[in-house]
Amino acid sequence: MARHLITSAIPYINGIKHLGNLVGSQLPADLYARYLRGRGHEVLFLCATDEHGTPAELAAAKAGKPVDVYCAEMHAVQAEIAEGFRLSFDHFGRSSSAQNHRLTQAFASRLAEAGLIREVTEKQMYSVADGRFLPDRYIEGTCPNCGYDSARGDQCDNCTKQLDPWELINPRSVISGSTELELRETRHLHLRQSAMKAELEAWIDSKTDWPVLTTSIARKWLNDGEGLQDRGITRDLHWGVPVQYEGAPWQGMEGKVFYVWFDAPIEYIACAQEWVDAGKGADWERWWRTDKGAGDVTYTQFMGKDNVPFHTLSFPVTILGSGEPWKLVDYIKSFNYLNYDGGQFSTSRGRGVFMDQALSILPADYWRWWLLSHAPESSDSEFTWENFQASVNKDLADVLGNLVSRVTKFCRSKFGEAVPAGGELGEREAALIAELDARVRAYETAMDAMEVRKSAIELRAIWVAGNEYLQSAAPWTVVKTEPERAAAQIRLALNLIRLYAVLSRPFIPDAAASTMAAMGCDDWTWPEGIAQALKVLPVGHAFQTPDVLFRKITDEERADWQARFAGRRD
């Protein structure tokens, strides 16, 4: 049994997330966590809400609520929706937690002692109309690199280029829309990323198994233009981790907080402390400190490509620069973007299908299957209602659901609701077992490699193999002349249903659970050998004929949803 630490990029607190956010981090992380648990490994799967920074302040102001109240309410909402999608976090924390405040300040002190933080007097955008300095994300304008007209003052969401707000063309205040902006002097702290460039580059170069998407983005930031730049890690905000604290190695920083991208990744560690403090675990350090047992942990992060620079550069600078024995990430699984019907999903602009809306239409498994089987791994992918309908109807209803329904209903009508006795398996069954042995190993290989779409293809092929066997064996015809042989075929098929529940659980956990319950079984043992796995349900074992596992989406429903969710959430 191996030990696996898994973190998903933590979602901003500002509102309910869309399906693109879901498939870009949380959902594939959950798939991997469920798979590893199914294989018997020890897993700690952590996520949280990212509650600091301008998105929280702006969203709270729009809602007319104090920011702390807004964040507490939205954390509860996001936690409920995460449960709705069956995201199996061991803990869903909050970056505003006391644990994260303490740990962020401790890291800052250590980095300062190591000479990796410097005080800088710099010019910052000041909005005359708003009467305040504007943090980077309070400023929007046109990206000088790609021309995107809604780039933010810290980064362009379109081309992922790191920006300073004064680089924007025609910058404006997000608060008031005013273009009356001035550069004024203020003091901030900078993380000396440039001092760690050689160490970072060597570390990234050692990750030969990482996705090209991850390493290419990291190297671009390391080497493009003037190379890796120092990064401001403080902001003029009221909500966040205070920069001036007891024992801080600087003075005069009152009224400033740490930049959200400094404290948010630290929440991964703090979340484990929250997990223990909530009474869910006993020892967080054995997961995060290599001097306390984390040396044998494999740490995997899941995120969208826009988060990659911070996790390959800034957060590793924090970890390595502290000089303390913290666990570094072993593998970063990054994703491209999921687009929506010819455009982009956007939380801030309300475009696309959002997680709560999705669950109001259909149960989680329908969405989980489509999103994972179309995960934007090698390139951006696109959600269309036509494709969603076709995938659900063909894969879930016609292939998997149909097999479960046909087998159980046929057995009930001919042999009763118990595994029938009689007959022996023949060459056709031996061929199926051999095929499934090979296909399950291929499925495991894809899952181990975190190849999400390939894993879905392999799983579907496993379902198809069972259907093709049934079509070929035709027990409903055989039973007329050779009832014992038909009994053996159905006995195998009932066990196949249980096996499918085990293998499908990472993708469609609710359907797997209801199928297993219908089979009257609670044996989730991962198959080491298919022949043995197809004998788990013994002769005489009682089962129930389940309700329809997956219903088909009608053309009328698809047309209605397409019109209702045309790309705007008001």
Side-chain angles (χ1 to χ4, degrees):
M1 182 177 71
R3 298 174 62 219
H4 288 268
L5 172 63
I6 300 171
T7 60
S8 162
I10 64 178
Y12 275 134
I13 196 69
N14 60 329
I16 294 166
K17 305 298 106 176
H18 56 66
L19 297 183
N21 295 132
L22 180 62
V23 76
S25 56
Q26 292 178 319
L27 189 54
D30 180 71
L31 175 77
Y32 190 54
R34 286 179 175 276
Y35 166 72
L36 291 174
R37 292 190 194 110
R39 297 299 302 274
H41 299 302
E42 185 181 5
V43 173
L44 180 61
F45 178 25
L46 301 174
C47 191
T49 39
D50 185 357
E51 301 189 7
H52 294 145
T54 56
E57 287 198 352
L58 291 172
K62 184 177 180 180
K65 296 178 179 179
V67 64
D68 58 334
V69 173
Y70 173 81
C71 287
E73 291 178 355
M74 286 309 303
H75 174 81
V77 169
Q78 290 200 23
E80 182 180 2
I81 293 175
E83 169 59 29
F85 274 98
R86 304 301 183 252
L87 302 178
S88 59
F89 305 130
D90 289 291
H91 189 70
F92 187 56
R94 303 181 62 186
S95 70
S96 63
S97 68
Q99 293 90 336
N100 195 40
H101 277 233
R102 289 192 300 267
L103 194 57
T104 297
Q105 291 169 343
F107 267 113
S109 293
R110 290 288 298 181
L111 291 166
E113 291 169 13
L116 290 172
I117 290 181
R118 61 187 175 95
E119 294 185 34
V120 176
T121 299
E122 59 185 38
K123 290 185 176 180
Q124 185 175 337
M125 287 290 195
Y126 183 88
S127 171
V128 176
D130 299 312
R132 60 177 291 178
F133 283 103
L134 295 180
D136 296 349
R137 290 184 69 87
Y138 274 61
I139 304 167
E140 284 189 351
T142 300
C143 175
N145 183 55
C146 71
Y148 181 56
D149 64 2
S150 295
R152 305 188 187 278
D154 59 347
Q155 182 178 334
C156 176
D157 291 339
N158 186 56
C159 68
T160 76
K161 183 176 176 61
Q162 182 182 10
L163 296 168
D164 286 311
W166 50 86
E167 295 180 285
L168 293 172
I169 300 166
N170 299 323
R172 60 190 178 274
S173 165
V174 170
I175 301 171
S176 62
S178 172
T179 58
E180 192 179 359
L181 307 180
E182 299 176 356
L183 277 176
R184 294 187 182 182
E185 285 192 347
T186 184
R187 286 173 62 234
H188 281 288
L189 302 179
H190 279 219
L191 181 63
R192 296 184 59 226
Q193 297 184 144
S194 59
M196 297 287 289
K197 181 178 185 296
E199 192 170 351
L200 281 173
E201 195 159 24
W203 176 66
I204 291 167
D205 286 345
S206 73
K207 303 301 183 181
T208 56
D209 62 332
W210 281 13
V212 172
L213 178 63
T214 301
T215 53
S216 62
I217 293 173
R219 291 193 177 103
K220 178 181 177 183
W221 278 49
L222 272 172
N223 301 310
D224 272 13
E226 298 178 4
L228 184 63
Q229 301 295 299
D230 294 347
R231 184 65 166 160
I233 57 168
T234 55
R235 294 292 186 269
D236 290 290
L237 293 170
H238 304 295
W239 175 247
V241 180
V243 177
Q244 197 61 57
Y245 52 89
E246 185 177 350
W250 40 71
Q251 295 297 322
M253 291 288 176
E254 290 82 7
K256 297 181 189 293
V257 300
F258 284 105
Y259 178 38
V260 63
W261 270 113
F262 181 70
D263 83 80
I266 294 171
E267 167 60 19
Y268 294 140
I269 306 174
C271 187
Q273 299 179 12
E274 297 170 49
W275 167 68
V276 170
D277 293 344
K280 300 176 183 177
D283 185 359
W284 68 268
E285 289 183 313
R286 68 187 285 265
W287 291 97
W288 276 109
R289 290 186 65 99
T290 56
D291 61 337
K292 300 292 180 68
D296 65 348
V297 169
T298 299
Y299 176 23
T300 307
Q301 295 174 343
F302 288 79
M303 70 195 64
K305 62 183 177 182
D306 53 330
N307 289 344
V308 168
F310 301 99
H311 291 78
T312 55
L313 303 172
S314 301
F315 188 38
V317 166
T318 300
I319 296 291
L320 291 167
S322 73
E324 296 179 324
W326 296 105
K327 174 67 184 173
L328 275 165
V329 66
D330 293 297
Y331 192 86
I332 296 179
K333 175 68 175 180
S334 56
F335 292 84
N336 289 282
Y337 294 138
L338 175 69
N339 295 319
Y340 176 76
D341 259 348
Q344 288 186 331
F345 278 93
S346 172
T347 299
S348 59
R349 291 162 185 80
R351 175 174 169 77
V353 183
F354 289 71
M355 290 170 68
D356 59 336
Q357 295 172 330
L359 291 176
S360 73
I361 297 171
L362 288 168
D365 282 350
Y366 293 73
W367 300 103
R368 287 178 64 103
W369 174 254
W370 188 91
L371 290 167
L372 291 167
S373 61
H374 293 78
E377 290 177 290
S378 58
S379 63
D380 290 354
S381 58
E382 183 168 4
F383 176 89
T384 68
W385 288 102
E386 291 84 0
N387 188 290
F388 178 65
Q389 178 191 25
S391 182
V392 165
N393 290 358
K394 292 177 182 177
D395 298 346
L396 298 181
D398 285 346
V399 179
L400 179 61
N402 185 49
L403 182 143
V404 173
S405 178
R406 290 171 78 188
V407 169
T408 53
K409 287 180 179 177
F410 175 75
C411 187
R412 179 179 61 186
S413 68
K414 299 299 181 182
F415 304 105
E417 286 190 321
V419 177
E424 298 293 334
L425 302 182
E427 291 183 5
R428 183 180 280 115
E429 289 72 34
L432 172 66
I433 289 169
E435 180 184 358
L436 289 177
D437 265 320
R439 290 201 178 279
V440 169
R441 299 293 88 82
Y443 176 52
E444 292 169 353
T445 299
M447 290 286 269
D448 288 335
M450 285 167 271
E451 295 178 311
V452 177
R453 291 178 79 147
K454 188 174 181 181
S455 298
I457 290 170
E458 297 293 352
L459 179 59
R460 187 184 188 280
I462 290 169
W463 298 342
V464 168
N467 275 277
E468 290 178 344
Y469 163 75
L470 284 171
Q471 286 296 106
S472 171
W476 29 85
T477 300
V478 171
V479 72
K480 298 173 184 176
T481 56
E482 300 177 80
E484 289 209 346
R485 183 166 155 231
Q489 292 169 342
I490 288 299
R491 187 165 63 249
L492 179 82
L494 289 168
N495 273 283
L496 192 61
I497 291 172
R498 187 209 70 90
L499 175 63
Y500 283 178
V502 173
L503 297 175
S504 306
R505 194 183 197 186
F507 279 89
I508 45 174
D510 283 353
S514 63
T515 300
M516 189 69 89
M519 291 298 100
C521 183
D522 194 32
D523 184 348
W524 293 95
T525 306
W526 194 267
E528 293 302 318
I530 298 302
Q532 204 57 38
L534 295 179
K535 296 177 182 177
V536 171
L537 303 182
V539 169
H541 178 87
F543 68 88
Q544 294 178 333
T545 303
D547 295 330
V548 173
L549 200 59
F550 292 101
R551 71 169 184 82
K552 287 192 173 186
I553 297 171
T554 67
D555 290 342
E556 290 75 19
E557 285 176 314
R558 174 186 52 75
D560 174 52
W561 296 335
Q562 201 160 14
R564 220 190 325 161
F565 304 104
R568 189 77 212 169
R569 179 189 176 101
D570 297 321

